[in-house]
């Protein structure tokens, strides 16, 4: 049977066919659908959302040590969080097969950076595979588990957004007879990484790399496609498809296993061709390794560039620049410069109420990663930093230590972000006597990545009921003396509480308690409308940045546009009505309800 | 290089159902024995941003994204997004645009605003365009989501698949209780594709 699957769905299928027992992850675009697919379609596999990638990775290690093939998935920046266990797990090696997915995001479709994790695999000295379409995404999962067990190593599979989210045809096979559950071997010299043991394991790890170097020379996933051209191209991952698209009949060495690299195969390929060009996205990863192996004539990054995604167009332009392809930008239509359509907070989003108040109070807000990061966009512009998950709290503490108490620094982070890596930040605020106000924008879901459960939602990934974290008790237990819960869509209450907490000495935590308007349930209440005769065109409602509010064709005497509300978008959150001085915004009168 | 390959670009705004349309089209291409790839980017784009889906089919597809300016057909769920996507169209390609107008609040905040009449601009550039009131028709049929099916139906005469295949794909992918209304929407869209009824 063949089916049209995304790269992520194909990974899930591969995991199922490989007889995997356990899968753990923290969500992150573009990796999220892998575990969602497993939870939905392959119910025999235990799977969980862990609070963060480090825990997910450690759960996966546990699964492997316990004797079941295990999978851990994350987006590229997730590997930074999981780096600590990874670096040492590479020393110990596995019991049952262990594979982790790094889903990189060239072009930052939904990320804060575009780090190239191929370099990370090399740093950790773990082999990695790089699929170039959905079919390979499935096949390479089976291969990755084989390599993991045969060479006693964690294995990375490196996806990119284009591979994860593009669909292609995939052959379905039956699950293999996965190796029998292996007993955990209480071998302290292998699994207890005290210095004496680790020194010995480091040697084992280097020997493993030598054996892998031999293996990759013969692997079917590294291959040469010959047409007899003088030009040879070395490429892998999605770039391979672009090369085939623009130069279908050029000799290609396709890299499927990117660490260690098949240097003998590459050496022969380089010798056999007059000119060799490397086509790879982001960093000169292949290029640096090939050049440092003495093949200094190969070319690459001078043509392809180091930022963003490649595309057929960019590859063709690069090859034109290299003088090996006659290509110019095709004729077509020029739309001219277009307005931007930036992502924004949804109509009715509870985060909007919070940011409207923070903006009014002119506070410096250290931010974090989630939907609420959109508080930084126009017209709110009420969030002023965003680095990595959990950073807001430490940033606020440091800023306040430098600028002095009373500088009015507020940290804002979401519920999932707080559980991911905010708890230790609160601990620091208490321990080191910070005066910051930490606001947990709790919308009861991991909204940005599509509404996943987390430890405070009361449900697991597999759909079971479970305990919910109590944020108030948790923060009190960490030593915060003032923990307050507010309705972020109540403007006056939010204003009062934030002001009081800013003035109070010592750290405080404010928790908002309105759920996301989209997930898990769409919230739609009676919409509001503008009484145009009452509207004075002051534009206060425009400045909260609600997609449901737009300028009317009707103008005030002074030529300012009045406001109108799109009834199909308005969720009835009331925020605009609360800030409208002339009280021109009112609940829509629904005829049949009048008089009842 | 591009013979034997059809490239369709479907564009719109987050939440409009762009991905549903590309699923249906891909299904039809698979049912008729093609290799198919499609590509779209999820993520931030769902918060009211631009959404685009590339669908490619033929005997063998390499790149999941359409080479620049090689789209045979563009389906746009929104006027200005049709104009924006025009950049991708083959000079002899066809663009089918729903007259839906979605103006983001950021377009009122100064800077570059929403174009006055994107449809007129597309026409002025001499692109081969069909503009349809797909959202009004969908609402009249009782479900705004039907814009999907209507736009695909308008495109269908140029895609050379039998109507029966489209109908089978609809039966396969659409929830049973919505099948009838989708088939009806498809019929309406096919009628619109006739040049005489085009505005
Ligand atoms: C280390 C890391 N893991 C995952 C992500 C992906 N990610 C971005 S925002 C987010 C969830 C935010 O959820 P929450 O804090 O509840 O805020 P909301 O979006 O619900 O407002 C995730 C998982 C990331 N950016 N970095």
């Amino acid at each position: 049977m063949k089916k049209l699957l995304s790269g992520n769905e194909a990974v899930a299928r591969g995991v199922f066919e490989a007889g995997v027992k356990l899968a753990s992850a923290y969500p992150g675009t573009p990796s999220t659908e892998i575990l969602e697919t497993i939870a939905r379609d392959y119910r025999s596999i235990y799977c969980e959302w862990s609070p963060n990638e480090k825990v997910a990775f450690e759960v996966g290690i546990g699964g492997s040590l316990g004797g079941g093939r295990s999978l851990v998935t994350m987006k590229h920046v997730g590997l930074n969080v999981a780096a600590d266990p990874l670096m040492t797990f590479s020393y110990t090696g596995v019991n049952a097969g262990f594979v982790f997915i790094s889903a990189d995001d060239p072009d930052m479709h939904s990320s804060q950076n575009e780090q190239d994790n191929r370099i990370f695999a090399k740093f950790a000295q773990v082999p990695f595979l790089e699929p170039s379409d959905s079919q390979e995404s499935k096949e390479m999962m089976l291969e990755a588990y084989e390599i993991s067990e045969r060479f006693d190593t964690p294995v990375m599979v490196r996806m990119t957004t284009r591979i994860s989210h593009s669909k292609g045809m995939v052959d379905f096979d039956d699950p293999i007879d996965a190796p029998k559950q292996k007993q955990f071997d209480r071998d302290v010299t292998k699994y207890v990484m005290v210095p004496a043991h680790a020194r010995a394991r480091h040697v084992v790890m280097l020997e493993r790399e030598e054996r892998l170097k031999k293996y990759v020379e013969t692997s079917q996933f590294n291959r040469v496609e010959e047409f007899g051209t003088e030009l040879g191209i070395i490429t892998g991952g999605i770039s391979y498809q672009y090369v085939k698209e623009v130069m279908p009949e050029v000799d290609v060495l396709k890299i499927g296993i990117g660490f260690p690299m098949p240097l003998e195969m590459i050496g022969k390929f380089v010798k056999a061709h007059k000119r060799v060009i490397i086509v790879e996205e982001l960093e000169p990863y292949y290029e640096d390794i090939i050049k440092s192996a003495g093949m200094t004539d190969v070319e690459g990054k001078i043509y392809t560039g180091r930022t963003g995604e490649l595309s057929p167009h960019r590859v063709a332009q690069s090859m034109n620049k290299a003088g090996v392809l006659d290509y110019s930008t095709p004729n077509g239509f020029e739309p001219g410069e277009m307005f931007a359509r930036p992502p924004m907070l949804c109509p009715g989003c509870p985060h909007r109420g919070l940011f409207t108040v923070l903006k009014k109070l002119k506070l410096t807000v250290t931010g974090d990663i989630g939907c609420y990061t959109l508080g930084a966009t126009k017209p709110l512009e009420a969030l002023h930093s965003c680095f990595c998950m959990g950073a807001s709290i430490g940033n606020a503490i440091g800023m306040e230590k430098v600028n002095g108490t009373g500088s009015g620094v507020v940290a804002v982070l979401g519920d999932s972000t707080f559980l991911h890596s905010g708890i230790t930040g609160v601990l620091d605020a208490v321990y080191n006597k910070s005066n910051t106000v930490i606001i947990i924008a709790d919308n009861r879901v991991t909204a940005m990545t599509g509404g996943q459960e987390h430890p405070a939602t009361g449900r697991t990934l597999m759909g079971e009921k479970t305990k919910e974290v109590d944020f108030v008790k948790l923060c009190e237990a960490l030593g915060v003396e003032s923990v307050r819960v507010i309705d972020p869509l109540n403007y006056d209450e939010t204003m009062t509480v934030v002001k009081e907490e800013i003035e109070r000495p010592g750290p405080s935590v404010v928790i908002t308690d309105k759920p996301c308007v989209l997930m898990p349930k769409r919230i739609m209440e009676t919409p509001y409308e503008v009484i145009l005769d009452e509207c004075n065109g002051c534009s206060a409602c425009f400045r909260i940045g609600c997609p449901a509010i737009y300028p009317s064709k009707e103008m005030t005497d002074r030529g300012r546009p009045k406001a109108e509300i799109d009834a199909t978008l308005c969720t009835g959150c009331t925020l605009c009505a609360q800030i409208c001085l002339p009280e021109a915004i009112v609940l829509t009168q629904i005829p049949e309800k009048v008089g009842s | 290089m591009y013979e034997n390959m059809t490239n369709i670009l479907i564009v719109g705004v987050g939440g409009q159902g762009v991905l549903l349309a590309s699923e249906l089209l891909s299904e039809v291409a698979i049912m008729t024995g093609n290799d198919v790839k499609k590509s779209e980017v999820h993520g931030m784009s769902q918060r009211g941003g631009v959404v685009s889906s590339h669908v490619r089919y033929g005997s063998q597809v390499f790149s999941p994204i359409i080479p620049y300016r090689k789209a045979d057909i563009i389906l746009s769920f929104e006027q200005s997004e049709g104009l924006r996507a025009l950049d991708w169209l083959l000079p002899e390609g066809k663009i089918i645009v729903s007259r839906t107008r979605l103006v983001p609040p950021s377009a009122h905040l100064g800077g570059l605003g929403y174009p006055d009449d994107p449809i007129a601009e597309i026409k002025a550039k001499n692109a081969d365009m069909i503009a349809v009131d797909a959202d009004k028709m969908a609402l009249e049929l009782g479900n705004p989501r039907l814009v999907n099916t209507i736009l695909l139906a308008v495109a269908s005469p140029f895609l050379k698949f039998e109507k029966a295949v489209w109908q089978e794909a609809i039966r396969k992918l659409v929830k049973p209780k919505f099948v009838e209304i989708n088939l009806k929407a498809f019929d309406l869209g096919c009628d619109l594709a006739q040049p005489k009824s085009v505005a």
Side-chain angles (χ1 to χ4, degrees):
Chain A
M1 184 175 58
K2 259 184 193 290
K3 266 193 169 174
L4 187 71
L5 297 188
S6 69
N8 282 348
E9 291 166 333
V11 165
R13 178 70 203 179
V15 161
F16 170 68
E17 289 181 12
V20 166
K21 291 274 183 321
L22 175 145
S24 52
Y26 179 72
T29 315
S31 69
T32 314
E33 299 82 5
I34 300 173
L35 253 70
E36 288 179 332
T37 305
I38 293 175
R40 187 189 63 222
D41 296 345
Y42 307 113
R43 306 278 307 171
S44 59
I45 301 171
Y46 168 80
C47 56
E48 68 165 51
W49 291 131
S50 310
N52 66 29
E53 292 85 353
K54 180 175 184 290
V55 175
F57 207 94
E58 290 153 350
V59 169
I61 292 176
S64 162
L65 297 198
R69 285 188 164 187
S70 298
L71 173 81
V72 181
T73 73
M74 63 204 77
K75 71 183 285 158
H76 59 336
V77 288
L79 193 55
N80 303 335
V81 180
D84 208 1
L86 164 66
M87 296 308 286
T88 303
F89 192 35
S90 182
Y91 279 49
T92 69
V94 306
N95 182 27
F98 177 100
V99 178
F100 65 101
I101 306 282
S102 168
D104 294 9
D105 190 15
D107 230 36
M108 298 168 273
H109 293 283
S110 34
S111 304
Q112 67 268 38
N113 75 28
E114 54 180 352
Q115 65 186 61
D116 187 336
N117 278 2
R118 297 178 301 169
I119 299 172
F120 223 129
K122 178 171 181 267
F123 180 34
Q125 287 168 266
V126 297
F128 78 89
L129 292 94
E130 270 184 288
S132 68
D133 61 15
S134 294
Q135 175 66 27
E136 271 189 349
S137 298
K138 191 202 88 165
E139 285 170 10
M140 284 187 175
M141 290 312 293
L142 288 129
E143 170 76 0
Y145 282 100
E146 289 292 323
I147 294 177
S148 173
E149 285 167 1
R150 179 158 159 205
F151 293 92
D152 193 8
T153 178
V155 175
M156 181 173 106
V157 172
R158 193 242 189 182
M159 307 286 284
T160 54
T161 303
R162 279 298 159 195
I163 301 292
S164 284
H165 286 172
S166 292
K167 291 195 171 186
M169 302 304 289
V170 176
D171 281 317
F172 276 43
D173 295 293
D174 292 331
I176 57 161
D177 279 331
K180 286 246 149 34
Q181 191 107 350
K182 301 171 189 165
Q183 287 259 312
F184 174 54
D185 184 11
R186 293 184 187 169
D187 178 354
V188 294
T189 61
K190 185 170 188 309
Y191 295 121
V192 180
M193 286 300 93
V194 292
H197 300 166
R199 281 183 204 117
R201 289 305 303 182
H202 193 180
V203 175
V204 173
M205 180 169 80
L206 293 175
E207 285 166 3
R208 171 181 82 203
E209 194 176 314
E210 291 309 310
R211 287 192 292 136
L212 277 161
K213 279 182 183 163
K214 292 209 180 77
Y215 175 77
V216 297
E217 298 293 346
T218 56
S219 165
Q220 52 158 336
F221 291 106
N222 295 322
R223 64 162 194 265
V224 174
E225 294 174 8
E226 281 189 302
F227 297 91
T229 52
E230 291 184 341
L231 170 70
I233 290 182
I234 300 176
T235 185
I238 190 67
S239 308
Y240 164 80
Q241 305 293 352
Y242 301 151
V243 167
K244 294 301 285 183
E245 186 74 36
V246 301
M247 300 177 91
E249 300 197 336
V250 160
D251 285 10
V252 166
L253 196 169
K254 179 182 181 301
I255 303 288
I257 304 180
F259 185 81
M261 292 206 52
L263 286 170
E264 270 178 42
M265 193 182 215
I266 292 168
K268 274 189 213 148
F269 187 79
V270 169
K271 251 200 202 116
H273 292 88
K274 249 199 172 143
R275 194 165 170 202
V276 171
I277 298 176
I278 297 166
V279 180
E280 59 187 323
E281 249 168 16
L282 298 177
E283 294 304 308
Y285 170 81
Y286 302 149
E287 189 174 341
D288 285 350
I289 293 177
I290 294 170
K291 281 187 169 159
S292 61
M295 293 170 262
T296 50
D297 286 346
V298 299
E299 305 161 274
K301 283 294 148 190
I302 47 166
Y303 306 126
T304 56
R306 274 170 76 166
T307 58
E309 280 190 297
L310 293 181
S311 65
H313 181 54
R314 252 184 89 178
V315 169
Q317 281 179 319
S318 307
M319 294 302 105
N320 182 63
K321 201 162 141 197
V324 296
L325 178 74
D326 197 9
Y327 177 83
S328 55
T329 300
N331 288 335
F333 301 96
E334 305 280 349
E337 214 189 328
M338 290 287 288
F339 69 106
R341 205 182 269 284
M344 54 199 168
L345 295 173
C346 303
C349 175
H351 297 330
R352 178 174 292 105
L354 174 64
F355 287 115
T356 300
V357 167
L358 298 180
K359 182 186 169 94
K360 185 79 187 171
L361 292 173
K362 298 197 171 68
L363 294 167
T364 296
V365 178
T366 57
D368 227 296
I369 306 193
C371 283
Y372 50 91
T373 314
L374 297 172
T377 55
K378 276 188 177 168
L380 288 165
E381 297 175 291
L383 178 143
H384 311 109
S385 70
C386 164
F387 293 89
C388 61
M389 291 190 75
S392 58
I393 304 179
N395 292 165
I397 295 170
M399 205 180 271
E400 188 236 312
K401 293 288 180 198
V402 168
N403 289 343
T405 309
S407 51
V409 185
V410 171
V412 172
L413 75 174
D415 42 344
S416 184
T417 305
F418 175 71
L419 296 167
H420 178 283
S421 47
I423 301 170
T424 43
V426 174
L427 210 49
D428 188 59
V430 172
Y431 174 51
N432 288 308
K433 305 182 175 185
S434 169
N435 282 303
T436 48
V437 178
I438 297 158
I439 302 179
I440 305 175
D442 178 13
N443 58 0
R444 256 151 284 128
V445 75
T446 320
M448 182 89 262
T449 45
Q452 292 74 27
E453 307 288 350
H454 63 58
T457 64
R459 286 224 175 253
T460 68
L461 171 58
M462 298 182 82
E464 281 176 66
K465 274 213 159 113
T466 184
K467 261 204 181 297
E468 284 171 40
V469 170
D470 181 329
F471 286 118
V472 175
K473 275 196 195 153
L474 173 59
C475 293
E476 283 171 355
L478 292 169
V480 181
E481 281 168 18
S482 178
V483 183
R484 300 175 71 176
V485 178
I486 55 165
D487 172 357
L489 290 172
N490 182 327
Y491 184 80
D492 291 338
E493 178 192 336
T494 303
M495 180 69 83
T496 310
V497 170
V498 173
K499 265 193 191 155
E500 281 172 11
E501 293 310 315
I502 288 276
E503 269 149 38
R504 184 193 307 277
S508 33
V509 171
V510 175
I511 302 165
T512 71
D513 80 341
K514 271 266 153 54
C516 173
V517 279
L518 277 189
M519 297 168 282
K521 266 204 321 261
R522 195 180 190 105
I523 297 173
M524 266 290 183
E525 280 159 20
T526 312
Y528 275 62
E529 65 186 352
V530 180
I531 306 170
L532 283 173
D533 286 346
E534 307 281 335
C535 176
N536 64 7
C538 76
S539 82
C541 59
F542 294 143
R543 288 192 302 260
I544 64 173
C546 177
I549 304 175
Y550 62 97
S552 169
K553 293 224 163 71
E554 196 172 314
M555 298 284 172
T556 63
D557 298 340
R558 294 154 97 198
R560 295 229 202 103
K562 298 185 175 189
E564 279 189 66
I565 293 176
D566 184 335
T568 61
L569 293 177
C570 176
T571 68
C573 83
T574 77
L575 183 66
C576 58
Q578 293 176 58
I579 58 156
C580 178
L581 283 179
E583 298 184 10
I585 301 178
V586 297
L587 196 66
T588 305
Q589 298 300 309
I590 294 177
E592 53 264 44
K593 284 209 176 148
V594 173
S596 67
Chain B
M1 212 184 319
Y2 299 105
E3 316 98 284
N4 182 16
M5 171 77 68
T6 306
N7 297 311
I8 317 280
L9 180 64
I10 309 180
V11 297
V13 175
Q16 281 195 295
V18 166
L19 307 188
L20 242 81
S22 68
E23 286 290 321
L24 207 60
L25 172 60
S26 302
E27 183 62 33
V28 169
I30 293 167
M31 284 162 64
T32 46
N34 289 284
D35 185 23
V36 179
K37 278 189 184 165
K38 79 176 195 120
S39 185
E40 57 238 358
V41 171
H42 316 202
M44 296 291 262
S45 47
Q46 284 165 325
R47 303 279 168 280
V50 180
V51 178
S52 69
S53 180
H54 296 227
V55 180
R56 312 190 70 204
Y57 56 87
S59 53
Q60 188 183 9
V61 187
F62 290 113
S63 166
I65 47 181
I66 298 170
Y68 186 49
R69 293 189 164 162
K70 298 291 179 193
D72 298 288
I73 295 181
I74 292 177
L75 293 186
S76 179
F77 282 58
E78 202 273 349
Q79 296 185 23
S80 69
E81 292 314 318
L83 179 59
R84 194 193 302 275
L86 204 58
D87 201 16
W88 286 84
L89 194 65
L90 269 171
E92 64 275 24
K94 187 175 280 299
I95 176 163
I96 297 164
V97 191
S98 167
R99 284 208 176 83
T100 313
R101 227 179 129 90
L102 295 173
V103 185
S106 56
H108 303 309
L109 296 168
L112 221 46
Y114 190 96
D116 285 340
D117 190 347
I119 300 240
E121 284 191 48
I122 297 172
K123 213 181 272 173
K125 291 177 197 295
N126 288 323
D128 184 0
M129 176 184 64
I130 302 179
V132 284
D133 285 317
D135 53 341
K136 274 193 204 135
M137 286 168 60
L139 273 181
E140 274 162 27
L141 285 168
N143 188 340
R145 289 257 143 181
L146 293 170
V147 168
N148 272 297
T149 316
I150 294 167
L151 288 180
L152 282 172
V154 176
S156 65
F158 315 106
L159 293 172
K160 305 187 179 80
F161 300 115
E162 304 269 335
K163 192 165 177 183
V165 183
W166 285 103
Q167 289 166 330
E168 200 185 326
I170 288 172
R171 287 199 187 89
K172 205 165 152 185
L173 292 191
V174 172
K175 282 202 190 108
K177 67 172 178 176
F178 296 121
V179 166
E180 278 317 309
I181 190 79
N182 271 277
L183 291 173
K184 197 167 157 200
F186 195 84
D187 282 340
L188 276 175
C190 286
D191 294 344
L192 271 187
Q194 306 311 318
K196 58 178 168 7
S197 56
V198 174

